[in-house]
Amino acid sequence: MGHYLEKAGIDSFEMFEKASAVGGVWRDNTYPGAACDVASHLYSFSFEPHYPWSRRYGPQPEIRDYLDGIADKYDLRRHIRFGREVEGADYDEARGLWRIRFTDGATHEAQVLITAVGQLNRPQIPALRGLESFAGRAFHSARWEHDYDFTGKRVAVIGTGPSAVQFVPAIAAQAAAVHVFQRSTSWTLPKFDGTYTAIERWLLTNLPFLHTLDRWRIYWWYEFLSSALQNGSWIGRLSRPLLRFAARTLMKSQVTDPSLRARLAPDTPLGCKRILLSNEWLPALARANVEVVTEPALEVGEDTIRAGDGRERKIDALVFGTGFSATQFLAPMDFRGVGGASLRERWAHGAQGYLGVAVTGFPNLFMLYGPNSNLGAGSIIYMLERQQRYVTRWITEMTRRRLASIDVAPEAQDAFNAEMVRRSSGSAYTGGCTSWYLVEGRNTNNWVGYMSEYGRRLRRPVLAHFRVREQRDPTLGLA
């Protein structure tokens, strides 16, 4: 966002970061095996695409280095205020500005407020009875305790999502026993990963058009994958059987035990939950020292964990791979818009917005990665860049026309959300499973369509969808 503002000639902005460094999830998630499940040539910014990745899917340390390098190369750190945690913000209608409140009691005023807090930043830990009495180590994957040695230990892992898929193989190679509590099954596809050879590295470095071609190849591959998740797509009718066949072939080749294979077989539509990409996950579950527990974890004792069948298992450590509070957008912050309306209260039964970037009744508030802008297949970096360009265009328009405020018209937001409900019906996202995409059965998180469609719709603002107020104060900046 900072890059696009500067590119548009906008230099009066500040970025507030509660941590002491940049990097977001790639700063916080340092568990063994942490890596992206989107190929790096697409999981990178279009203005900085030719990065010398060591692998096809970037590992966490490289992604963080990439982000650090961008902050330095484009001189963005001069705009960042580290260690500033936002508590909330209130909109001053008379003055047409936001008053931002920090947890230390300080405040800051800006005409335009942009949130860029992501969706996967607040770890979710299940309410297990007796957890406070557990004498061993217990932590979430996003708060990994690197001083803990798993060698010879008995470990319980709760959850089988994208994070667990990456760290369980590493734990299983060290621990004496690993009990993986599977709340639900997911589809697993092969991950075509690998280290770039010296020849490949030379070609990508010296013939950058090859890098660009590979970026486009990956882009259209994800568009093909996305077709399998949508409702009524003829391409989806072709892709779904192919992907299911690939998943079942992988399962059959990597899990030889029929009973285990039956427990791991997905019983929900492809894409109802996040599709898992891994070559190590299924073999790890098939190890002799790994047990897949399909009964729910109910209670923790001093050195035990009890499942729904009443059986207790001795454990030394408990690791949560239970994801994040992704549907609680912008929490724990609260924003109060026109008339003092609370965004937290408005979203109590599920977040709603307009194209994932704005909310009616909250003038001059823009979101990155807002409701219905996540992807079941594709690169969120692509989506974010479209949002960043869109927001920048609006700010440029506000400056040109000296607008005090812009606000999404309620009918435009209602039409967008009705569209998302209609298009979600019959799609993989509402296919009958419980996932972090849904709130009260409604898809609040995912864009239901192709990346290319989203890019087209954010190419330029539709002025008729907004209400504007003239005469802004030119001395106020952005945050």
Side-chain angles (χ1 to χ4, degrees), residues 123-136:
Q124 183 170 267
I125 296 178
L128 290 178
R129 289 199 302 270
L131 184 58
E132 68 284 350
S133 66
F134 183 56

Side-chain angles (χ1 to χ4, degrees), residues 336-388:
R336 294 189 175 272
V338 174
S342 165
L343 190 56
R344 181 189 297 166
E345 292 175 6
R346 181 180 293 186
W347 283 354
H349 298 285
Q352 292 187 356
Y354 169 82
L355 286 171
V357 294
V359 184
T360 185
F362 293 80
N364 298 0
L365 174 66
F366 294 105
M367 297 174 291
L368 305 180
Y369 210 174
N372 292 114
S373 65
N374 184 58
L375 291 168
S379 173
I380 193 61
I381 302 299
Y382 176 93
M383 304 290 278
L384 291 173
E385 282 202 73
R386 270 63 199 169
Q387 294 175 343
Q388 290 149 6

Side-chain angles (χ1 to χ4, degrees), residues 111-130:
Q111 186 196 10
V112 175
L113 176 58
I114 305 166
T115 66
V117 297
Q119 294 181 13
L120 309 179
N121 63 84
R122 299 182 65 222
Q124 183 170 267
I125 296 178
L128 290 178
R129 289 199 302 270

Side-chain angles (χ1 to χ4, degrees), residues 312 345 392 406:
E312 287 191 344
E345 292 175 6
T392 301
I406 64 166

Side-chain angles (χ1 to χ4, degrees), residues 153-459:
K153 299 295 196 303
R154 300 162 299 182
V155 185
V157 174
I158 312 293
T160 54
S163 298
V165 162
Q166 295 180 339
F167 71 71
V168 165
I171 291 178
Q174 304 174 50
V178 180
H179 309 286
V180 178
F181 284 78
Q182 176 183 270
R183 296 181 297 175
S184 59
T185 55
S186 297
W187 291 85
T188 305
L189 291 172
K191 188 175 185 179
F192 298 104
D193 195 8
T195 303
Y196 286 112
T197 65
I199 293 175
E200 290 173 326
R201 181 79 279 133
W202 186 92
L203 290 171
L204 290 169
T205 302
N206 293 279
L207 301 174
F209 75 90
L210 294 177
H211 197 296
T212 302
L213 285 175
D214 193 48
R215 181 179 174 92
W216 280 107
R217 176 193 64 81
I218 299 164
Y219 175 87
W220 288 112
W221 166 244
Y222 278 112
E223 292 287 77
F224 176 74
L225 287 179
S226 180
S227 69
L229 311 180
Q230 299 178 42
N231 178 24
S233 166
W234 69 267
I235 304 178
R237 290 193 290 272
L238 170 67
S239 60
R240 279 190 290 271
L242 291 175
L243 295 174
R244 285 195 293 262
F245 174 78
R248 287 165 179 156
T249 300
L250 182 71
M251 175 84 74
K252 191 171 182 179
S253 66
Q254 294 187 333
V255 181
T256 57
D257 180 359
S259 64
L260 177 58
R261 206 157 55 221
R263 278 178 283 156
L264 297 176
D267 56 1
T268 55
L270 181 82
C272 189
K273 293 178 177 291
R274 178 78 178 181
I275 296 173
L276 308 176
L277 297 182
S278 177
N279 303 320
E280 292 82 29
W281 168 242
L282 296 176
L285 298 182
R287 290 176 61 111
N289 66 325
V290 176
E291 177 194 20
V292 176
V293 185
T294 56
E295 294 288 335
L298 297 182
E299 188 174 9
V300 177
E302 184 178 357
D303 62 350
T304 61
I305 186 167
R306 182 171 64 83
D309 59 2
R311 180 182 167 189
E312 287 191 344
R313 293 165 174 83
K314 291 276 189 179
I315 59 170
D316 304 298
L318 177 57
V319 181
F320 295 102
T322 43
F324 302 85
S325 301
T327 56
Q328 297 176 22
F329 291 84
L330 307 184
M333 300 179 293
D334 190 23
F335 297 85
R336 294 189 175 272
V338 174
S342 165
L343 190 56
R344 181 189 297 166
E345 292 175 6
R346 181 180 293 186
W347 283 354
H349 298 285
Q352 292 187 356
Y354 169 82
L355 286 171
V357 294
V359 184
T360 185
F362 293 80
N364 298 0
L365 174 66
F366 294 105
M367 297 174 291
L368 305 180
Y369 210 174
N372 292 114
S373 65
N374 184 58
L375 291 168
S379 173
I380 193 61
I381 302 299
Y382 176 93
M383 304 290 278
L384 291 173
E385 282 202 73
R386 270 63 199 169
Q387 294 175 343
Q388 290 149 6
R389 295 173 186 175
Y390 178 90
V391 172
T392 301
R393 290 188 185 102
W394 253 127
I395 294 171
T396 302
E397 182 71 9
M398 292 176 69
T399 302
R400 185 183 69 83
R401 294 176 52 183
R402 295 179 61 80
L403 299 178
S405 67
I406 64 166
D407 189 12
V408 180
E411 55 271 22
Q413 177 170 303
D414 291 345
F416 174 75
N417 284 283
E419 177 193 353
M420 289 296 98
V421 170
R422 174 177 54 80
R423 293 177 65 174
S424 294
S425 177
S427 72
Y429 306 132
T430 55
C433 64
T434 301
S435 76
W436 60 269
Y437 303 150
L438 308 177
V439 174
E440 299 180 4
R442 184 171 62 83
N443 169 28
T444 60
N445 285 62
N446 281 6
W447 167 247
V448 190
Y450 297 103
M451 290 184 289
S452 52
E453 180 195 351
Y454 190 78
R456 287 194 302 272
R457 292 178 65 168
L458 268 72
R459 190 166 295 158

